[in-house]
Amino acid sequence: MREKKNHLYVDSGERSILLHSLVELKNQLIQQGRYTDCVDELIFKVIHAPIKKLRVELAGGSDVR
């Protein structure tokens, strides 16, 4: 059976916070002497994720880009 994929859309500020949090988690794991492979994979995916521009329509009828 095929795994279900989930897509996460974040803006540049949220992406920055996500990366900083993952690096902080990696540093904590290193201090504890634990493996960081899974965190490294997530950091790689976030850094190399494609940028997609979306158009969002607000309830009031105006558009945000």
Side-chain angles (χ1 to χ4, degrees), residues 11-61:
D11 62 22
S12 61
E14 293 168 336
R15 182 178 179 270
S16 177
I17 292 171
L18 179 60
L19 281 172
H20 286 292
S21 299
L22 288 171
V23 170
E24 182 64 30
L25 175 60
K26 181 179 176 175
N27 290 338
Q28 290 175 1
L29 291 174
I30 289 170
Q31 287 178 349
Q32 296 172 4
R34 297 170 61 189
Y35 293 108
T36 62
D37 298 344
C38 58
V39 178
D40 291 335
E41 289 179 27
L42 284 173
I43 291 171
F44 184 82
K45 286 181 180 183
V46 170
I47 289 173
H48 292 94
I51 296 174
K52 185 175 186 179
K53 292 189 178 188
L54 298 175
R55 184 175 182 161
V56 179
E57 293 186 24
L58 298 176

